[in-house]
Amino acid sequence: MTTGSLSGTVLDRIVEGVREDLAERRRAVPLTKVQRAATEATPALDAHAALQGGRDDTSGVRIIAEVKRSSPSAGALAEISSPADLARSYQAGGAAAISVLTEQRRFGGSLADLDAVRAAVSIPVLRKDFMVDEYQFHEARAHGADLVLLIVAALDDAQLRDFLALSHELGMHALVETHTVEEIERAMAVGARIVGVNVRNLKTLDVDVDHYSVLAPHLDDSVVRIAESGVRSEREVADYAARGADAVLVGEALVKHGDATAAIRDFRAASRP
């Protein structure tokens, strides 16, 4: 089984731009140099351990707090003058991990943001990008990522299997993102241990927060369950927690809040069983 055609979708256009930008970085820094930097980097933190068990934790679900400047759906979100300071505020609020957008064209991210966040915090860091080439995984580890994103809709079965294995070989974990029952089945088939359900359809950018409750029953109890997108307030976080999420990934609601530390504390408090 392979992923269906993405021609003409938002995801397709994003991936096209990612490949173009990647080609430029590859010309500037050869794969062998990036691989060497990855092997010399400080060993990755255990993101799986940091995220698991949130559905049963009396202190509330885990929060993956995102450093996110803009998005294709909402445009510019916030002026983030210091990703490091924002990351510190996330950690102070009790975030279990920090997601850093590194895609530059539509999300305004960069590897420099990843470097700044990695240097500022002691919790796992996710490189959130559209991972479509082996180079990016060595690059992620070289820049200190502990976790990478694998979007099932953007990968065929061979890529999904090989990229998951490569992530583990480099000492990282992978958040395997799904949006349909079929994609969950594909994630399970390759042995994914951390599975996300994104309630935003990346092909159309439509959001349906109830979509998590439709897909959650199809997730194996052995995997760490991540609810992605759709969070506007404590209500959505509490709802995801009630439906069995171990962790909730929150971006826009945090960068626009004004007091990210307090927001994360409130999100966790609202999700307590």
Side-chain angles (χ1 to χ4, degrees):
M1 182 187 304
T2 59
T3 185
S5 172
L6 300 175
S7 178
T9 68
V10 175
L11 179 57
D12 184 44
R13 293 191 293 273
I14 292 174
V15 168
E16 182 181 358
V18 165
R19 290 189 182 280
E20 291 173 358
D21 293 339
L22 173 59
E24 291 185 9
R25 296 199 305 278
R26 191 192 294 272
R27 284 192 292 269
V29 184
L31 175 60
T32 52
K33 186 173 182 179
V34 175
Q35 289 174 320
R36 183 166 60 253
T39 62
E40 295 172 353
T42 301
L45 301 175
D46 189 344
H48 183 273
L51 296 173
Q52 69 179 346
R55 73 190 88 164
D56 302 316
D57 193 334
T58 57
S59 64
V61 296
R62 312 291 187 251
I63 299 295
I64 304 174
E66 194 156 80
V67 177
K68 184 178 186 180
R69 300 175 185 275
S70 62
S71 74
S73 60
L77 299 175
E79 181 67 33
I80 301 175
S81 59
S82 174
D85 287 344
L86 181 59
R88 291 189 192 99
S89 70
Y90 287 164
Q91 180 169 278
I98 297 176
S99 169
V100 183
L101 266 299
T102 59
E103 196 280 334
Q104 62 188 36
R105 296 194 182 196
R106 291 173 173 83
F107 293 88
S110 68
L111 288 166
D113 285 350
L114 181 62
D115 290 336
V117 170
R118 174 68 286 161
V121 300
S122 58
I123 56 179
V125 175
L126 161 68
R127 180 192 182 178
K128 195 175 184 193
D129 209 320
F130 299 79
M131 309 293 282
V132 293
D133 189 279
E134 175 187 350
Y135 184 99
Q136 294 168 288
F137 293 83
H138 295 282
E139 190 178 52
R141 186 78 281 276
H143 286 268
D146 310 291
L147 185 65
V148 291
L149 182 71
L150 297 181
I151 301 174
V152 175
L155 304 169
D156 63 32
D157 287 349
Q159 290 173 317
L160 188 59
R161 180 187 63 249
D162 292 347
F163 288 162
L164 182 62
L166 178 58
S167 301
H168 293 163
E169 288 170 13
L170 292 170
M172 300 183 291
H173 284 283
L175 166 52
V176 182
E177 180 177 293
T178 66
H179 187 74
T180 67
V181 173
E182 179 190 27
E183 289 175 6
I184 288 176
E185 292 173 349
R186 292 178 58 205
M188 297 298 182
V190 298
R193 299 180 63 197
I194 305 173
V195 180
V197 171
N198 194 344
V199 302
R200 183 186 303 280
N201 186 331
L202 289 180
K203 297 179 182 180
T204 65
L205 298 185
D206 294 335
V207 173
D208 177 6
V209 294
D210 292 327
H211 196 56
Y212 184 82
S213 64
V214 174
L215 295 191
H218 297 275
L219 294 169
D220 193 282
D221 282 341
S222 65
V223 304
V224 175
R225 303 177 179 187
I226 313 294
E228 303 177 54
S229 300
V231 173
R232 297 180 180 177
S233 66
E234 293 94 331
R235 178 179 178 179
E236 288 80 20
V237 176
D239 194 36
Y240 285 144
R243 298 176 185 182
D246 289 290
V248 179
L249 191 150
V250 188
E252 181 175 347
L254 286 176
V255 298
K256 295 172 68 174
H257 188 277
D259 188 344
T261 297
I264 291 173
R265 288 173 178 161
D266 290 344
F267 288 158
R268 296 203 71 203
S271 69
R272 288 171 185 160

